[in-house]
Amino acid sequence: MGRSNAFIGVDMVAQPNSSQQNGTTLSIIHQTLLILRKDILLELRNRAAIQAILLFSITTLIVVGFSAGGGANLPPDTLASLLWIILFFSAFSGLSHVFIREEESNTAIALRLTSEANAVLWGKLLFNTLLTFVIIIIIAPLYFIILNAPIVQPGKLVLSLFTGGIGLSVSATIIAVIIARSHGKPALFGAIGFPILLPMLFIAVDATRLTFQSYSNINVLNRDILGLASFDVLMIVTAGLLFPYVWESE
Amino acid sequence: MTPLKLQISFERVFKKYGDREVIRDICCDIQHGQVLVIAGPNGSGKSTFLRIAAGLLKPDSGNVHISVNNIRFDPQAYRTQLGYLSPDLTFYNELSAVENLLFFSSLRGIRLQHDDLASILEMVGLRGRGRDPVSAYSSGMVQRLKFAFAVLHHPPLLLLDEPTSYLDEPGFRMAERIVKSYKQNGIVMIATNDPREKEWGDLTLSLG
């Protein structure tokens, strides 16, 4: 086996120096990847999150498609709003699983006994971000086809969707852990998440709307995308600061 | 290699849930090579005491120190190094026992070889069942897997809450062998009301 008992003691005793801090960082990266891999494996085996997401998103997409009659006459504002409504509720129907599952099945105890709090956060966050990207990759093209959306700036559209997607996944992850650790009801997830995400959703809808308009102001569009990226950074930093306290709370 | 010398000290530890004091003014020292049995009626705080020792719960007041070769650690900092088994510890049902053990040992930075896994599974009586999903395990098999999880990194501090629940007679003897073996290499703390488990202790802490 890789380590002896004595080495465990010596390893913990020494004062932190730069090389050991590098070791800790490496350990957190290693643990993050292990947790991400484990969550992907669990999702591939039970498909709890992806089924919930796809069921909601495909159903909503079809209903919106039918009611909009192909969407040819829908203005860009409505097209962008409907897209983000679908993405928001699709993401929130599935992204909470990743933490609530750990708490409800009590596997969080084993995780707390074996890993650093930050590794758990980054592992879960990466998993939720991957899941959000999968949702975007499936839903967005279908939406554009069904509603016949006029995409004028495809590059900026992709950028706005993915920066917005990161904001969705980071917010969903930290809200999920708060609810899971407080033994709250999963139904609270959307209720708490919506006000936190409202500013991000406004910017995302505006950015997406501008990518549907040939006469749009490129500076406003760039400002929106920068706003989305800033929101992502803010949420990632907040999650990193908040998570260890929430994870260790009783 | 320096031989490991372990000690765990509880200094005036208090813990309450709401208005109810569960742990009140506990002071004790457990030395390397000792087994502490924590006994008491249901709800007397046995599991809470072990969770505090494991760093999973913070006391409302008082201190817990784990000393390794006279250097002190907070239980929370030492948490990933100790072995812990309790009724509320569970594993990923979608994964097999081997996958669960590999995952948790990798998180601890230990690369388990095939022989290591085989010997751990052999020790806890799960040989030949390691590839089965945990969801297909009986309660007794899950309890055996908990022992494998608790000892796979050879912890010097082993915390066992109701260790022989669901175990049959061979399982009980397996638990006894593990406690006796780990007692020689460190400290074992057992929360129990089972008279046979109480006999393993060198010290007894009665709660409630």
Side-chain angles (χ1 to χ4, degrees):
Chain A
M1 235 176 272
R3 288 200 300 201
S4 69
N5 288 345
F7 184 67
I8 290 170
V10 171
D11 195 24
M12 297 290 293
V13 166
Q15 290 300 310
N17 58 33
S18 60
S19 65
Q20 276 161 341
Q21 281 167 351
N22 286 342
T24 308
T25 310
L26 275 178
S27 155
I28 288 175
I29 293 169
H30 177 67
Q31 289 186 346
T32 299
L33 295 175
L34 284 168
I35 290 165
L36 171 66
R37 193 176 69 179
K38 181 270 298 174
D39 279 335
I40 291 172
L41 190 61
L42 289 185
E43 188 55 41
L44 290 174
R45 291 194 184 167
N46 67 24
R47 298 186 184 90
I50 201 80
Q51 277 177 356
I53 289 166
L54 286 180
L55 182 72
F56 182 89
S57 55
I58 302 288
T59 310
T60 319
L61 196 60
I62 290 168
V63 170
V64 168
F66 271 119
S67 56
N73 299 322
L74 288 179
D77 309 48
T78 313
L79 277 172
S81 302
L82 284 174
L83 174 61
W84 277 101
I85 288 169
I86 295 171
L87 290 176
F88 170 76
F89 283 108
S90 303
F92 268 57
S93 64
L95 297 185
S96 62
H97 282 268
V98 72
F99 263 118
I100 291 171
R101 180 171 58 194
E102 299 278 7
E103 288 295 336
E104 285 183 346
S105 60
N106 270 335
T107 46
I109 295 174
L111 265 189
R112 291 175 74 201
L113 286 165
T114 50
S115 46
E116 299 286 333
N118 279 327
V120 177
L121 169 68
W122 303 126
K124 301 287 183 191
L125 208 151
L126 278 176
F127 175 78
N128 271 350
T129 305
L130 272 179
L131 202 57
T132 308
F133 285 177
V134 169
I135 298 166
I136 291 171
I137 288 165
I138 294 172
I139 299 301
L142 280 175
Y143 180 84
F144 299 138
I145 293 166
I146 291 173
L147 292 185
N148 198 20
I151 302 167
V152 178
Q153 301 199 51
K156 299 279 185 188
L157 174 64
V158 169
L159 208 55
S160 70
L161 286 176
F162 282 97
T163 45
I166 292 170
L168 267 183
S169 67
V170 181
S171 311
T173 306
I174 196 66
I175 295 163
V177 74
I178 291 169
I179 289 170
R181 295 295 296 153
S182 62
H183 308 291
K185 297 275 180 283
L188 283 173
F189 191 64
I192 298 174
F194 189 66
I196 292 175
L197 279 165
L198 209 54
M200 193 278 295
L201 284 173
F202 279 134
I203 305 172
V205 167
D206 193 53
T208 308
R209 173 184 68 87
L210 292 170
T211 64
F212 294 148
Q213 293 174 339
S214 52
Y215 53 85
S216 61
N217 185 335
I218 195 73
N219 290 332
V220 177
L221 181 53
N222 287 338
R223 187 201 61 192
D224 282 348
I225 290 170
L226 193 65
L228 288 173
S230 305
F231 180 87
D232 296 348
V233 172
L234 179 72
M235 288 309 295
I236 288 169
V237 172
T238 306
L241 293 173
L242 193 62
F243 183 78
Y245 296 100
V246 181
W247 185 240
E248 293 298 339
S249 67
E250 294 154 18
Chain B
M1 203 180 289
T2 319
L4 189 75
K5 198 77 180 166
L6 194 69
Q7 184 189 343
I8 179 163
S9 308
F10 294 83
E11 297 167 358
R12 307 207 66 184
V13 172
F14 278 85
K15 181 72 190 174
K16 62 180 184 179
Y17 292 119
D19 292 333
R20 197 170 68 85
E21 281 187 350
V22 181
I23 305 281
R24 194 191 318 173
D25 203 15
I26 300 283
C27 295
C28 64
D29 286 328
I30 308 127
Q31 305 293 333
H32 194 99
Q34 289 184 322
V35 177
L36 172 73
V37 167
I38 305 135
N42 293 341
S44 59
K46 301 186 295 295
S47 300
T48 300
F49 188 74
L50 272 195
R51 288 172 74 87
I52 290 171
L56 291 169
L57 209 57
K58 281 186 179 165
D60 293 327
S61 65
N63 294 306
V64 182
H65 297 297
I66 297 169
S67 301
V68 182
N69 294 340
N70 293 322
I71 297 168
R72 282 182 166 190
F73 296 95
D74 177 69
Q76 204 174 321
Y78 198 71
R79 193 166 67 196
T80 57
Q81 315 292 333
L82 53 81
Y84 181 80
L85 177 157
S86 77
D88 52 3
L89 175 73
T90 55
F91 302 102
Y92 298 103
N93 280 328
E94 298 89 341
L95 305 183
S96 68
V98 165
E99 286 171 328
N100 270 289
L101 293 178
L102 282 173
F103 171 63
F104 289 117
S105 62
S106 301
L107 284 176
R108 283 189 165 117
I110 296 167
R111 192 183 294 271
L112 283 182
Q113 302 299 325
H114 182 267
D115 289 350
D116 300 323
L117 269 173
S119 67
I120 287 167
L121 291 173
E122 173 86 46
M123 182 182 72
V124 299
L126 289 176
R127 189 180 174 191
R129 303 299 300 272
R131 303 280 167 194
D132 295 354
V134 173
S135 57
Y137 274 21
S138 68
S139 303
M141 291 167 75
V142 171
Q143 190 70 6
R144 288 168 182 268
L145 181 58
K146 288 181 187 181
F147 266 101
F149 169 79
V151 303
L152 64 86
H153 52 304
H154 296 303
L157 175 59
L158 192 56
L159 308 174
L160 307 173
D161 189 357
E162 299 181 19
T164 60
S165 301
Y166 305 111
L167 290 180
D168 52 14
E169 192 52 36
F172 183 89
R173 287 198 295 273
M174 174 270 297
E176 187 175 29
R177 274 196 303 275
I178 288 175
V179 169
K180 287 183 176 169
S181 157
Y182 275 79
K183 172 189 169 175
Q184 291 166 8
N185 300 319
I187 290 172
V188 183
M189 292 169 64
I190 306 169
T192 184
N193 274 323
D194 185 315
R196 291 206 292 169
E197 290 175 29
K198 284 181 181 174
E199 289 174 10
W200 300 341
D202 302 303
L203 309 165
T204 301
L205 175 66
S206 295
L207 300 177

